[in-house]
Structures are given as structure tokens and as C-alpha cells.
Amino acid sequence: MKIYIDSANLKEIEKWLNYGVIDGVTTNPSIMLKDGVYDVEAGIKKIARLIDPLPISVEVTTNDSKEMIEQARRLAALGHNIVVKIPVENEFGVPCYGLIGQLEKSGVTVNATAIMSFGQIILAAKAGASYVSLFAGRVADEGGNSPEVIVESVEWLEHWEYKSQLIVGSIRSVGDILNAATAGAHIITIPPQYLSKMADHKYTRETVKEFIADSKSALKIMGQGKT
Ligand code: E4P
């Protein structure tokens, strides 16, 4: 299983990259805005260079099919490790599966995004997407059972040998991460604050404190023995 960081914050990306626990980066226009990356192309280039050869996903920002293709091509040209996120439908309900296939065939790696159901995963995989992004938190917001969707999607993708890798995003807790891992997600994309929560445990800190204190006590006893 791979872990991606769901962030456009260069410092956070670099930190987790140096820990050796992330395999890629995902972003979306809201993450860019929150992390203060207003010049998308410049920001993406910096991240792409930093994590090279790991992949970074960046999303198109239009409802128009022709513009989606143009944006996707421009974004993909920014770096060889750039993956372009195409929503499975636009905000008016126009399906984007045709664009996904067209882009993949022309050499652009596509992450089919804003996926909320197993059905959309099936269609995005059939269209040829390299990645299919399920928004687990948003599925749960609407009363859906995300772990169930993950299990059925991974089983189906693997049974029929589709190339699409399932990315589970929209993480809202460490519990969501563990549920996605148990359900068999190929990749989980995690916001930095949940990576920090996942890394830390109060009892680990207390245990280390206890061991260091005891080793100091042993040194003190040794020192006393010498005199
Ligand atoms: C990642 O690919 C998604 O864009 C992201 O995880 C969505 O998260 P949200 O539902 O918290 O906005």
C-alpha cells in the first residue's frame, strides 16, 4: 500500500518525504488555496521537482471539455511526474469519461477524481484512468459506507485486472486511514495533520522518557561505584 500526502505545503511535503514514508502527492484547487499556492503552475513545478520521480496530482479547473483537455496538456507538460486530475463528471453532470480515455491514449496520466461510488469507479477504470480517487470522507458525509466501497472496488479492479490504482482521499481522521488500509486501498492520500496524529502516541513518548531516565540513573550508579 502506498501513502500520498494530500497537500501543497512544500515544507510539509519535504518533511514527510525525508521521513521516507510518502510515495506521492495529491492536490486540488481548495488545497492550493488553503496552502497559499495561488500561482498553480509555479507551485506545482516546485513540488514536482522536489519529489521527482514520485507522482504529483494536479486538477483541471473548468467545466468545459475542450478547456479540460488544454489545461490537462499544459499541466502534464510541466513535469514528467505530473498526473492530471479529471473529475468523472463536471458540475452540470456531463460525464468526462471520454476525456479521460482520450488523455490517457495521448500519454497524459489521469487521476479520475471526485468519485463517490463503486459505479463511477467501474466507469473510470473502463475509460482507462491510471488512478481512481474515491472521496471516502464525502461518501461517509452522505451516509455511505466507504470501507464497503473500497473493498468492492479493489476486488473488482483486481479480479478484472484493470490498471487503475484506487486512491482513497477525503480523509477526516486516523480511523479513516486505518479503515481504508484494512479495506485494501492501493493508495491513501493523507493531509499532513493526520500523518502527524498517526505518527504520535502519548504512551510512546512516556515510554521513551522512562527509558532515558532509567539509563541516566544507571550511569549515575556506575559513576558512584567508581568513586
Ligand atoms: C484528494 O485527492 C482529494 O482531492 C481530497 O482528499 C479531498 O478531500 P476533502 O473531501 O476533505 O476536500
Side-chain angles (χ1 to χ4, degrees):
M1 190 196 85
K2 288 183 175 162
I3 289 181
Y4 287 0
I5 188 166
D6 206 14
S7 174
N9 181 319
L10 213 57
K11 277 196 182 139
E12 287 291 340
I13 295 169
E14 190 165 21
K15 179 173 92 182
W16 290 99
L17 190 67
N18 288 338
Y19 291 164
V21 298
I22 59 164
D23 306 290
V25 175
T26 51
T27 65
N28 65 36
S30 304
I31 289 173
M32 297 282 201
L33 179 67
K34 177 177 73 62
D35 289 340
V37 181
Y38 307 125
D39 182 341
V40 172
E41 295 197 3
I44 287 300
K45 266 196 201 167
K46 274 189 202 157
I47 301 172
R49 267 199 298 266
L50 173 71
I51 67 165
D52 188 19
L54 301 177
I56 167 162
S57 287
V58 53
E59 190 155 348
V60 295
T61 53
T62 174
N63 281 305
D64 183 81
S65 311
K66 213 169 140 243
E67 276 176 24
M68 273 191 204
I69 295 275
E70 282 163 10
Q71 283 189 11
R73 296 221 163 102
R74 206 167 55 239
L75 291 169
L78 296 176
H80 67 94
N81 53 342
I82 288 173
V83 174
V84 180
K85 280 175 134 181
I86 305 283
V88 286
E89 61 181 344
N90 74 10
E91 70 174 270
F92 306 111
V94 178
C96 301
Y97 300 103
L99 306 182
I100 292 169
Q102 196 181 326
L103 284 166
E104 283 276 352
K105 277 187 198 123
S106 71
V108 175
T109 307
V110 175
N111 177 346
T113 194
I115 293 182
M116 307 293 165
S117 71
F118 178 34
Q120 291 174 322
I121 284 176
I122 292 177
L123 296 178
K126 290 198 70 70
S130 293
Y131 300 93
V132 288
S133 283
L134 178 73
F135 282 27
R138 294 188 192 231
V139 169
D141 287 345
E142 298 291 310
N145 185 335
S146 309
E148 204 173 279
V149 180
I150 297 166
V151 169
E152 53 201 11
S153 301
V154 170
E155 271 179 17
W156 184 87
L157 289 169
E158 291 179 357
H159 176 78
W160 294 104
E161 298 182 350
Y162 279 93
K163 68 169 182 182
S164 317
Q165 294 277 294
L166 177 71
I167 303 181
V168 176
S170 189
I171 293 297
R172 307 274 161 85
S173 68
V174 175
D176 284 348
I177 299 167
L178 304 182
N179 284 337
T182 310
H186 298 129
I187 303 162
I188 307 176
T189 188
I190 308 175
Q193 67 267 34
Y194 299 115
L195 281 171
S196 298
K197 276 184 186 286
M198 194 175 164
D200 178 46
H201 200 293
K202 186 180 158 200
Y203 198 31
T204 303
R205 282 184 270 119
E206 280 174 14
T207 302
V208 173
K209 187 178 173 185
E210 189 184 305
F211 289 166
I212 289 177
D214 284 347
S215 82
K216 281 186 183 152
S217 300
L219 285 174
K220 208 167 156 194
I221 293 166
M222 262 171 57
Q224 280 163 1
K226 273 184 200 157
T227 54

PDB file of all heavy atoms in Angstrom, residues 188-218:
ATOM      1  N   ILE A 188      -3.492   5.599  -0.058  1.00  0.00           N
ATOM      2  CA  ILE A 188      -4.325   6.510   0.750  1.00  0.00           C
ATOM      3  C   ILE A 188      -3.642   7.865   0.717  1.00  0.00           C
ATOM      4  O   ILE A 188      -2.416   7.946   0.932  1.00  0.00           O
ATOM      5  CB  ILE A 188      -4.462   6.035   2.210  1.00  0.00           C
ATOM      6  CG1 ILE A 188      -4.958   4.589   2.260  1.00  0.00           C
ATOM      7  CG2 ILE A 188      -5.430   6.940   2.990  1.00  0.00           C
ATOM      8  CD1 ILE A 188      -5.029   3.994   3.664  1.00  0.00           C
ATOM      9  N   THR A 189      -4.390   8.911   0.399  1.00  0.00           N
ATOM     10  CA  THR A 189      -3.779  10.237   0.407  1.00  0.00           C
ATOM     11  C   THR A 189      -4.217  10.979   1.673  1.00  0.00           C
ATOM     12  O   THR A 189      -5.409  11.094   1.953  1.00  0.00           O
ATOM     13  CB  THR A 189      -4.032  11.020  -0.901  1.00  0.00           C
ATOM     14  OG1 THR A 189      -3.239  12.209  -0.853  1.00  0.00           O
ATOM     15  CG2 THR A 189      -5.496  11.366  -1.142  1.00  0.00           C
ATOM     16  N   ILE A 190      -3.195  11.405   2.439  1.00  0.00           N
ATOM     17  CA  ILE A 190      -3.445  11.847   3.817  1.00  0.00           C
ATOM     18  C   ILE A 190      -3.015  13.302   4.020  1.00  0.00           C
ATOM     19  O   ILE A 190      -1.868  13.655   3.737  1.00  0.00           O
ATOM     20  CB  ILE A 190      -2.665  10.937   4.798  1.00  0.00           C
ATOM     21  CG1 ILE A 190      -2.959   9.452   4.521  1.00  0.00           C
ATOM     22  CG2 ILE A 190      -2.978  11.300   6.244  1.00  0.00           C
ATOM     23  CD1 ILE A 190      -2.146   8.469   5.371  1.00  0.00           C
ATOM     24  N   PRO A 191      -3.901  14.152   4.569  1.00  0.00           N
ATOM     25  CA  PRO A 191      -3.487  15.518   4.897  1.00  0.00           C
ATOM     26  C   PRO A 191      -2.423  15.473   6.007  1.00  0.00           C
ATOM     27  O   PRO A 191      -2.468  14.591   6.876  1.00  0.00           O
ATOM     28  CB  PRO A 191      -4.782  16.181   5.399  1.00  0.00           C
ATOM     29  CG  PRO A 191      -5.893  15.309   4.907  1.00  0.00           C
ATOM     30  CD  PRO A 191      -5.328  13.915   4.841  1.00  0.00           C
ATOM     31  N   PRO A 192      -1.457  16.432   5.983  1.00  0.00           N
ATOM     32  CA  PRO A 192      -0.337  16.387   6.938  1.00  0.00           C
ATOM     33  C   PRO A 192      -0.759  16.263   8.401  1.00  0.00           C
ATOM     34  O   PRO A 192      -0.109  15.550   9.169  1.00  0.00           O
ATOM     35  CB  PRO A 192       0.386  17.724   6.707  1.00  0.00           C
ATOM     36  CG  PRO A 192      -0.078  18.226   5.398  1.00  0.00           C
ATOM     37  CD  PRO A 192      -1.359  17.559   5.050  1.00  0.00           C
ATOM     38  N   GLN A 193      -1.859  16.940   8.787  1.00  0.00           N
ATOM     39  CA  GLN A 193      -2.238  16.889  10.211  1.00  0.00           C
ATOM     40  C   GLN A 193      -2.581  15.472  10.675  1.00  0.00           C
ATOM     41  O   GLN A 193      -2.361  15.125  11.836  1.00  0.00           O
ATOM     42  CB  GLN A 193      -3.373  17.881  10.535  1.00  0.00           C
ATOM     43  CG  GLN A 193      -4.732  17.588   9.925  1.00  0.00           C
ATOM     44  CD  GLN A 193      -4.938  18.291   8.586  1.00  0.00           C
ATOM     45  OE1 GLN A 193      -4.001  18.462   7.809  1.00  0.00           O
ATOM     46  NE2 GLN A 193      -6.179  18.667   8.301  1.00  0.00           N
ATOM     47  N   TYR A 194      -3.092  14.629   9.747  1.00  0.00           N
ATOM     48  CA  TYR A 194      -3.421  13.250  10.154  1.00  0.00           C
ATOM     49  C   TYR A 194      -2.197  12.345  10.095  1.00  0.00           C
ATOM     50  O   TYR A 194      -2.132  11.346  10.809  1.00  0.00           O
ATOM     51  CB  TYR A 194      -4.585  12.698   9.321  1.00  0.00           C
ATOM     52  CG  TYR A 194      -5.830  13.524   9.518  1.00  0.00           C
ATOM     53  CD1 TYR A 194      -6.393  14.248   8.477  1.00  0.00           C
ATOM     54  CD2 TYR A 194      -6.408  13.653  10.785  1.00  0.00           C
ATOM     55  CE1 TYR A 194      -7.505  15.048   8.662  1.00  0.00           C
ATOM     56  CE2 TYR A 194      -7.510  14.459  10.986  1.00  0.00           C
ATOM     57  CZ  TYR A 194      -8.047  15.155   9.930  1.00  0.00           C
ATOM     58  OH  TYR A 194      -9.144  15.953  10.137  1.00  0.00           O
ATOM     59  N   LEU A 195      -1.216  12.716   9.252  1.00  0.00           N
ATOM     60  CA  LEU A 195       0.055  11.967   9.288  1.00  0.00           C
ATOM     61  C   LEU A 195       0.703  12.193  10.650  1.00  0.00           C
ATOM     62  O   LEU A 195       1.221  11.255  11.273  1.00  0.00           O
ATOM     63  CB  LEU A 195       0.997  12.450   8.179  1.00  0.00           C
ATOM     64  CG  LEU A 195       0.729  11.920   6.769  1.00  0.00           C
ATOM     65  CD1 LEU A 195       1.595  12.642   5.752  1.00  0.00           C
ATOM     66  CD2 LEU A 195       0.962  10.411   6.686  1.00  0.00           C
ATOM     67  N   SER A 196       0.660  13.455  11.139  1.00  0.00           N
ATOM     68  CA  SER A 196       1.245  13.764  12.454  1.00  0.00           C
ATOM     69  C   SER A 196       0.531  12.996  13.559  1.00  0.00           C
ATOM     70  O   SER A 196       1.167  12.436  14.455  1.00  0.00           O
ATOM     71  CB  SER A 196       1.148  15.263  12.748  1.00  0.00           C
ATOM     72  OG  SER A 196       1.877  15.977  11.795  1.00  0.00           O
ATOM     73  N   LYS A 197      -0.799  12.975  13.505  1.00  0.00           N
ATOM     74  CA  LYS A 197      -1.568  12.250  14.528  1.00  0.00           C
ATOM     75  C   LYS A 197      -1.266  10.754  14.481  1.00  0.00           C
ATOM     76  O   LYS A 197      -1.188  10.088  15.509  1.00  0.00           O
ATOM     77  CB  LYS A 197      -3.072  12.441  14.300  1.00  0.00           C
ATOM     78  CG  LYS A 197      -3.642  13.710  14.900  1.00  0.00           C
ATOM     79  CD  LYS A 197      -5.154  13.733  14.692  1.00  0.00           C
ATOM     80  CE  LYS A 197      -5.777  15.031  15.124  1.00  0.00           C
ATOM     81  NZ  LYS A 197      -5.847  15.148  16.600  1.00  0.00           N
ATOM     82  N   MET A 198      -1.078  10.249  13.272  1.00  0.00           N
ATOM     83  CA  MET A 198      -0.817   8.815  13.088  1.00  0.00           C
ATOM     84  C   MET A 198       0.563   8.456  13.654  1.00  0.00           C
ATOM     85  O   MET A 198       0.770   7.358  14.171  1.00  0.00           O
ATOM     86  CB  MET A 198      -0.861   8.532  11.586  1.00  0.00           C
ATOM     87  CG  MET A 198      -0.947   7.109  11.181  1.00  0.00           C
ATOM     88  SD  MET A 198      -1.129   7.124   9.380  1.00  0.00           S
ATOM     89  CE  MET A 198      -0.750   5.435   9.006  1.00  0.00           C
ATOM     90  N   ALA A 199       1.501   9.400  13.529  1.00  0.00           N
ATOM     91  CA  ALA A 199       2.883   9.139  13.952  1.00  0.00           C
ATOM     92  C   ALA A 199       3.045   9.163  15.466  1.00  0.00           C
ATOM     93  O   ALA A 199       3.914   8.485  16.022  1.00  0.00           O
ATOM     94  CB  ALA A 199       3.808  10.175  13.314  1.00  0.00           C
ATOM     95  N   ASP A 200       2.201   9.942  16.119  1.00  0.00           N
ATOM     96  CA  ASP A 200       2.406  10.207  17.550  1.00  0.00           C
ATOM     97  C   ASP A 200       1.535   9.310  18.437  1.00  0.00           C
ATOM     98  O   ASP A 200       0.407   8.960  18.073  1.00  0.00           O
ATOM     99  CB  ASP A 200       2.042  11.677  17.822  1.00  0.00           C
ATOM    100  CG  ASP A 200       2.186  12.031  19.287  1.00  0.00           C
ATOM    101  OD1 ASP A 200       3.223  11.673  19.892  1.00  0.00           O
ATOM    102  OD2 ASP A 200       1.255  12.649  19.844  1.00  0.00           O
ATOM    103  N   HIS A 201       2.101   8.927  19.615  1.00  0.00           N
ATOM    104  CA  HIS A 201       1.296   8.270  20.649  1.00  0.00           C
ATOM    105  C   HIS A 201       1.846   8.724  21.989  1.00  0.00           C
ATOM    106  O   HIS A 201       3.059   8.620  22.235  1.00  0.00           O
ATOM    107  CB  HIS A 201       1.366   6.744  20.518  1.00  0.00           C
ATOM    108  CG  HIS A 201       0.237   6.049  21.210  1.00  0.00           C
ATOM    109  ND1 HIS A 201       0.092   6.049  22.579  1.00  0.00           N
ATOM    110  CD2 HIS A 201      -0.817   5.359  20.716  1.00  0.00           C
ATOM    111  CE1 HIS A 201      -0.989   5.370  22.902  1.00  0.00           C
ATOM    112  NE2 HIS A 201      -1.575   4.946  21.781  1.00  0.00           N
ATOM    113  N   LYS A 202       0.959   9.201  22.844  1.00  0.00           N
ATOM    114  CA  LYS A 202       1.363   9.719  24.151  1.00  0.00           C
ATOM    115  C   LYS A 202       2.167   8.673  24.944  1.00  0.00           C
ATOM    116  O   LYS A 202       3.178   8.972  25.575  1.00  0.00           O
ATOM    117  CB  LYS A 202       0.080  10.086  24.907  1.00  0.00           C
ATOM    118  CG  LYS A 202       0.285  10.760  26.211  1.00  0.00           C
ATOM    119  CD  LYS A 202      -1.082  11.043  26.828  1.00  0.00           C
ATOM    120  CE  LYS A 202      -0.923  11.221  28.316  1.00  0.00           C
ATOM    121  NZ  LYS A 202      -2.174  11.033  29.038  1.00  0.00           N
ATOM    122  N   TYR A 203       1.740   7.421  24.841  1.00  0.00           N
ATOM    123  CA  TYR A 203       2.384   6.369  25.622  1.00  0.00           C
ATOM    124  C   TYR A 203       3.774   6.024  25.070  1.00  0.00           C
ATOM    125  O   TYR A 203       4.643   5.584  25.813  1.00  0.00           O
ATOM    126  CB  TYR A 203       1.467   5.141  25.690  1.00  0.00           C
ATOM    127  CG  TYR A 203       1.823   4.166  26.798  1.00  0.00           C
ATOM    128  CD1 TYR A 203       2.390   4.606  28.003  1.00  0.00           C
ATOM    129  CD2 TYR A 203       1.596   2.806  26.639  1.00  0.00           C
ATOM    130  CE1 TYR A 203       2.730   3.716  29.000  1.00  0.00           C
ATOM    131  CE2 TYR A 203       1.925   1.906  27.641  1.00  0.00           C
ATOM    132  CZ  TYR A 203       2.493   2.361  28.824  1.00  0.00           C
ATOM    133  OH  TYR A 203       2.824   1.479  29.807  1.00  0.00           O
ATOM    134  N   THR A 204       3.957   6.242  23.745  1.00  0.00           N
ATOM    135  CA  THR A 204       5.307   6.062  23.172  1.00  0.00           C
ATOM    136  C   THR A 204       6.233   7.099  23.793  1.00  0.00           C
ATOM    137  O   THR A 204       7.357   6.775  24.232  1.00  0.00           O
ATOM    138  CB  THR A 204       5.280   6.248  21.634  1.00  0.00           C
ATOM    139  OG1 THR A 204       4.353   5.339  21.081  1.00  0.00           O
ATOM    140  CG2 THR A 204       6.654   6.006  21.019  1.00  0.00           C
ATOM    141  N   ARG A 205       5.751   8.349  23.841  1.00  0.00           N
ATOM    142  CA  ARG A 205       6.584   9.424  24.416  1.00  0.00           C
ATOM    143  C   ARG A 205       6.911   9.118  25.876  1.00  0.00           C
ATOM    144  O   ARG A 205       8.045   9.262  26.324  1.00  0.00           O
ATOM    145  CB  ARG A 205       5.873  10.774  24.292  1.00  0.00           C
ATOM    146  CG  ARG A 205       5.978  11.349  22.902  1.00  0.00           C
ATOM    147  CD  ARG A 205       5.358  12.724  22.807  1.00  0.00           C
ATOM    148  NE  ARG A 205       3.957  12.691  22.450  1.00  0.00           N
ATOM    149  CZ  ARG A 205       2.966  13.157  23.186  1.00  0.00           C
ATOM    150  NH1 ARG A 205       3.194  13.696  24.364  1.00  0.00           N
ATOM    151  NH2 ARG A 205       1.723  13.084  22.762  1.00  0.00           N
ATOM    152  N   GLU A 206       5.899   8.692  26.643  1.00  0.00           N
ATOM    153  CA  GLU A 206       6.115   8.379  28.072  1.00  0.00           C
ATOM    154  C   GLU A 206       7.112   7.237  28.244  1.00  0.00           C
ATOM    155  O   GLU A 206       7.958   7.255  29.131  1.00  0.00           O
ATOM    156  CB  GLU A 206       4.786   7.991  28.729  1.00  0.00           C
ATOM    157  CG  GLU A 206       3.942   9.205  29.081  1.00  0.00           C
ATOM    158  CD  GLU A 206       2.569   8.802  29.588  1.00  0.00           C
ATOM    159  OE1 GLU A 206       2.352   7.618  29.927  1.00  0.00           O
ATOM    160  OE2 GLU A 206       1.697   9.690  29.638  1.00  0.00           O
ATOM    161  N   THR A 207       6.993   6.234  27.360  1.00  0.00           N
ATOM    162  CA  THR A 207       7.888   5.070  27.432  1.00  0.00           C
ATOM    163  C   THR A 207       9.335   5.485  27.177  1.00  0.00           C
ATOM    164  O   THR A 207      10.252   5.091  27.918  1.00  0.00           O
ATOM    165  CB  THR A 207       7.435   3.998  26.394  1.00  0.00           C
ATOM    166  OG1 THR A 207       6.094   3.644  26.678  1.00  0.00           O
ATOM    167  CG2 THR A 207       8.309   2.761  26.431  1.00  0.00           C
ATOM    168  N   VAL A 208       9.531   6.315  26.130  1.00  0.00           N
ATOM    169  CA  VAL A 208      10.888   6.774  25.794  1.00  0.00           C
ATOM    170  C   VAL A 208      11.447   7.604  26.956  1.00  0.00           C
ATOM    171  O   VAL A 208      12.617   7.454  27.344  1.00  0.00           O
ATOM    172  CB  VAL A 208      10.874   7.576  24.462  1.00  0.00           C
ATOM    173  CG1 VAL A 208      12.237   8.209  24.191  1.00  0.00           C
ATOM    174  CG2 VAL A 208      10.488   6.658  23.299  1.00  0.00           C
ATOM    175  N   LYS A 209      10.580   8.434  27.545  1.00  0.00           N
ATOM    176  CA  LYS A 209      11.002   9.274  28.686  1.00  0.00           C
ATOM    177  C   LYS A 209      11.502   8.397  29.842  1.00  0.00           C
ATOM    178  O   LYS A 209      12.550   8.638  30.444  1.00  0.00           O
ATOM    179  CB  LYS A 209       9.793  10.120  29.123  1.00  0.00           C
ATOM    180  CG  LYS A 209      10.089  11.151  30.165  1.00  0.00           C
ATOM    181  CD  LYS A 209       8.831  11.942  30.456  1.00  0.00           C
ATOM    182  CE  LYS A 209       9.073  12.866  31.635  1.00  0.00           C
ATOM    183  NZ  LYS A 209       7.848  13.567  32.028  1.00  0.00           N
ATOM    184  N   GLU A 210      10.720   7.337  30.089  1.00  0.00           N
ATOM    185  CA  GLU A 210      11.051   6.406  31.179  1.00  0.00           C
ATOM    186  C   GLU A 210      12.404   5.722  30.916  1.00  0.00           C
ATOM    187  O   GLU A 210      13.261   5.647  31.800  1.00  0.00           O
ATOM    188  CB  GLU A 210       9.925   5.368  31.205  1.00  0.00           C
ATOM    189  CG  GLU A 210       9.884   4.405  32.349  1.00  0.00           C
ATOM    190  CD  GLU A 210       8.735   3.410  32.098  1.00  0.00           C
ATOM    191  OE1 GLU A 210       7.577   3.859  31.888  1.00  0.00           O
ATOM    192  OE2 GLU A 210       9.005   2.195  32.081  1.00  0.00           O
ATOM    193  N   PHE A 211      12.617   5.258  29.660  1.00  0.00           N
ATOM    194  CA  PHE A 211      13.862   4.570  29.320  1.00  0.00           C
ATOM    195  C   PHE A 211      15.061   5.506  29.457  1.00  0.00           C
ATOM    196  O   PHE A 211      16.115   5.119  29.969  1.00  0.00           O
ATOM    197  CB  PHE A 211      13.808   4.026  27.887  1.00  0.00           C
ATOM    198  CG  PHE A 211      12.864   2.851  27.686  1.00  0.00           C
ATOM    199  CD1 PHE A 211      12.488   2.432  26.408  1.00  0.00           C
ATOM    200  CD2 PHE A 211      12.360   2.150  28.781  1.00  0.00           C
ATOM    201  CE1 PHE A 211      11.636   1.367  26.229  1.00  0.00           C
ATOM    202  CE2 PHE A 211      11.499   1.077  28.602  1.00  0.00           C
ATOM    203  CZ  PHE A 211      11.131   0.691  27.323  1.00  0.00           C
ATOM    204  N   ILE A 212      14.909   6.751  28.978  1.00  0.00           N
ATOM    205  CA  ILE A 212      16.031   7.702  29.062  1.00  0.00           C
ATOM    206  C   ILE A 212      16.345   8.014  30.521  1.00  0.00           C
ATOM    207  O   ILE A 212      17.517   8.040  30.935  1.00  0.00           O
ATOM    208  CB  ILE A 212      15.731   8.973  28.231  1.00  0.00           C
ATOM    209  CG1 ILE A 212      15.794   8.602  26.736  1.00  0.00           C
ATOM    210  CG2 ILE A 212      16.722  10.102  28.542  1.00  0.00           C
ATOM    211  CD1 ILE A 212      15.447   9.700  25.772  1.00  0.00           C
ATOM    212  N   ALA A 213      15.300   8.192  31.341  1.00  0.00           N
ATOM    213  CA  ALA A 213      15.510   8.482  32.769  1.00  0.00           C
ATOM    214  C   ALA A 213      16.232   7.308  33.433  1.00  0.00           C
ATOM    215  O   ALA A 213      17.186   7.497  34.210  1.00  0.00           O
ATOM    216  CB  ALA A 213      14.167   8.750  33.437  1.00  0.00           C
ATOM    217  N   ASP A 214      15.821   6.072  33.103  1.00  0.00           N
ATOM    218  CA  ASP A 214      16.454   4.891  33.712  1.00  0.00           C
ATOM    219  C   ASP A 214      17.902   4.737  33.264  1.00  0.00           C
ATOM    220  O   ASP A 214      18.767   4.330  34.045  1.00  0.00           O
ATOM    221  CB  ASP A 214      15.640   3.625  33.388  1.00  0.00           C
ATOM    222  CG  ASP A 214      14.369   3.548  34.241  1.00  0.00           C
ATOM    223  OD1 ASP A 214      14.264   4.327  35.222  1.00  0.00           O
ATOM    224  OD2 ASP A 214      13.488   2.742  33.918  1.00  0.00           O
ATOM    225  N   SER A 215      18.180   5.076  31.980  1.00  0.00           N
ATOM    226  CA  SER A 215      19.572   4.957  31.526  1.00  0.00           C
ATOM    227  C   SER A 215      20.437   5.988  32.241  1.00  0.00           C
ATOM    228  O   SER A 215      21.586   5.719  32.582  1.00  0.00           O
ATOM    229  CB  SER A 215      19.665   5.101  30.006  1.00  0.00           C
ATOM    230  OG  SER A 215      19.664   6.462  29.638  1.00  0.00           O
ATOM    231  N   LYS A 216      19.870   7.165  32.522  1.00  0.00           N
ATOM    232  CA  LYS A 216      20.619   8.190  33.267  1.00  0.00           C
ATOM    233  C   LYS A 216      20.869   7.705  34.689  1.00  0.00           C
ATOM    234  O   LYS A 216      21.960   7.902  35.244  1.00  0.00           O
ATOM    235  CB  LYS A 216      19.837   9.510  33.271  1.00  0.00           C
ATOM    236  CG  LYS A 216      19.989  10.274  31.973  1.00  0.00           C
ATOM    237  CD  LYS A 216      19.325  11.632  32.045  1.00  0.00           C
ATOM    238  CE  LYS A 216      19.427  12.340  30.703  1.00  0.00           C
ATOM    239  NZ  LYS A 216      18.325  13.272  30.478  1.00  0.00           N
ATOM    240  N   SER A 217      19.864   7.062  35.293  1.00  0.00           N
ATOM    241  CA  SER A 217      20.020   6.544  36.653  1.00  0.00           C
ATOM    242  C   SER A 217      21.139   5.503  36.692  1.00  0.00           C
ATOM    243  O   SER A 217      21.965   5.483  37.611  1.00  0.00           O
ATOM    244  CB  SER A 217      18.721   5.900  37.145  1.00  0.00           C
ATOM    245  OG  SER A 217      17.701   6.851  37.144  1.00  0.00           O
ATOM    246  N   ALA A 218      21.181   4.632  35.649  1.00  0.00           N
ATOM    247  CA  ALA A 218      22.222   3.591  35.599  1.00  0.00           C
ATOM    248  C   ALA A 218      23.605   4.226  35.517  1.00  0.00           C
ATOM    249  O   ALA A 218      24.540   3.794  36.209  1.00  0.00           O
ATOM    250  CB  ALA A 218      21.980   2.680  34.399  1.00  0.00           C
TER     251      ALA A 218
END
